[in-house]
Amino acid sequence: MRYAAQRLAQAIPVFFATTFLIYAMVFALPGDPILALAGDKPVPAQVLAVMRARYHLDDPLLVQYGRYMLGVFQGDLGETFTGQPVSELLQDRWAVTAQLALTAWVFELVVGIGLGVLAGLRRGGAADTAVLAGTTFVIAVPVFVVGYTAQIVLGLNLGLFPTAGTDEGWPGSYLLPGMVLGSFGLAYVARLTRTSLVENLRADYVRTATAKGLSRRRVVGLHALRNSLIPVVTYLGVDFGNLMAGAVVTEGIFNLPGIGQQVFQSIQLQEGPVVVGVVTLLVMIFILANLAVDLLYGVLDPRIRRARA
């Protein structure tokens, strides 16, 4: 608990720095959001002044940021320039992106670690070569190419998955986009697991365990694989936030009404409060994910737990 409290204390300046940075970037965007809201229609000067005063657009940056953070600590992410609360706007969309990211993350976890273990135990064999070649290909191909190809082949031609929308709910509507979104991370998880496992299989403690008469399954599963998962856990913990933030392209291909699609629309409409609200939530997810990873280190490797004690 003391270590968790220390990590949370270290995360506080990170939270303020990142939220201030994105707020400053949105503040510096060219154009007037009130004029962008009106489109091609002329806006009377008096109406423009009233709207800018209502949303405090003429206040200094630090004043605007301080007012926003005060609302965040009270559970208020602000409101759009049409008067709709940001939290209400993101409520349904956040659930869509969370389900998509969770599907992709589980796909990375199960298939990625499985392929990595298979390649590591058969280093230099056909399975190892196939995994390395396949993951290299996935890393090299852009996600939108993978997405459209999977949509056409697996969705339209073979009819194995829904091609767009969320009509079938979870998991049906999220399996194919989840696999597309998680394909890039899966390749890294597989290669990282394979490299770490090969390195640990050469370690002295593995030879000692084998010399004591432990079975191959016990040596690999209890000793080598457990230590090999430490860098994999680090990547998976950070990557969950990346999946939440990086779903814009996948949501666009499969027409999923998530936060990525909403952020893209908000940037076009210069809806700064929506962009800042989404980023604030994503920063919280990154911080909590990193904290969970740090605590899992002690579970996977008792030496780390004793060192921190």
Side-chain angles (χ1 to χ4, degrees):
M1 293 300 295
R2 181 171 61 253
Y3 176 75
Q6 291 175 352
R7 295 296 296 171
L8 282 175
Q10 293 172 1
I12 292 176
V14 175
F15 175 75
F16 281 106
T18 50
T19 52
F20 177 77
L21 179 62
I22 189 62
Y23 200 98
M25 293 172 64
V26 173
F27 183 85
L29 287 176
D32 191 314
I34 306 302
L35 294 178
L37 182 66
D40 296 332
K41 298 179 181 179
V43 180
Q46 293 181 342
V47 174
L48 183 62
V50 170
M51 293 293 291
R52 292 187 65 84
R54 175 183 176 181
Y55 293 103
H56 310 283
L57 297 179
D58 293 324
D59 292 345
L61 173 61
L62 290 177
V63 175
Q64 292 190 43
Y65 175 74
R67 185 179 289 109
Y68 171 75
M69 292 306 300
L70 184 62
V72 169
F73 292 140
Q74 297 173 353
D76 181 16
L77 295 176
E79 62 179 24
T80 67
F81 294 120
T82 58
Q84 183 180 9
V86 173
S87 56
E88 179 182 312
L89 178 66
L90 298 179
Q91 184 175 2
D92 295 333
R93 292 180 176 269
W94 190 263
V96 172
T97 300
Q99 291 178 85
L100 175 61
L102 181 61
T103 304
W105 190 80
V106 172
F107 179 63
E108 288 183 12
L109 174 68
V110 176
V111 181
I113 292 179
L115 291 176
V117 171
L118 177 64
L121 294 178
R122 290 167 173 78
R123 182 171 63 93
D128 186 24
T129 303
V131 170
L132 291 177
T135 52
T136 301
F137 175 78
V138 171
I139 294 173
V141 178
V143 66
F144 65 87
V145 175
V146 177
Y148 282 121
T149 303
Q151 187 180 49
I152 294 173
V153 176
L154 300 179
L156 292 177
N157 295 345
L158 300 179
L160 299 178
F161 302 97
T163 56
T166 58
D167 295 338
E168 295 191 12
W170 191 88
S173 298
Y174 295 88
L175 286 176
L176 186 57
M179 288 188 293
V180 170
L181 179 61
S183 60
F184 190 81
L186 178 146
Y188 275 103
V189 169
R191 296 175 73 92
L192 189 59
T193 304
R194 183 253 183 203
T195 303
S196 184
L197 182 59
V198 168
E199 180 180 352
N200 279 282
L201 287 175
R202 299 172 178 171
D204 293 337
Y205 70 88
V206 172
R207 288 194 292 268
T208 302
T210 304
K212 288 182 178 180
L214 295 180
S215 64
R216 176 69 171 174
R217 178 178 298 181
R218 187 173 179 84
V219 170
V220 173
L222 184 62
H223 297 282
L225 182 58
R226 186 174 180 177
N227 288 327
S228 301
L229 288 179
I230 293 178
V232 179
V233 167
T234 303
Y235 179 83
L236 286 171
V238 175
D239 196 49
F240 184 75
N242 291 333
L243 294 173
M244 292 286 294
V248 180
V249 176
T250 307
E251 288 177 356
I253 294 173
F254 293 95
N255 194 27
L256 300 177
I259 60 171
Q261 190 180 83
Q262 181 62 56
V263 168
F264 181 74
Q265 296 173 356
S266 299
I267 292 175
Q268 290 181 316
L269 298 175
Q270 297 186 19
E271 284 281 5
V274 178
V275 178
V276 176
V278 170
V279 173
T280 300
L281 294 175
L282 291 176
V283 168
M284 293 180 181
I285 290 176
F286 269 106
I287 291 174
L288 292 177
N290 286 329
L291 176 62
V293 167
D294 287 338
L295 296 180
L296 279 175
Y297 282 161
V299 177
L300 293 174
D301 191 342
R303 294 172 300 177
I304 299 177
R305 184 170 61 247
R306 289 194 295 267
R308 288 171 177 174

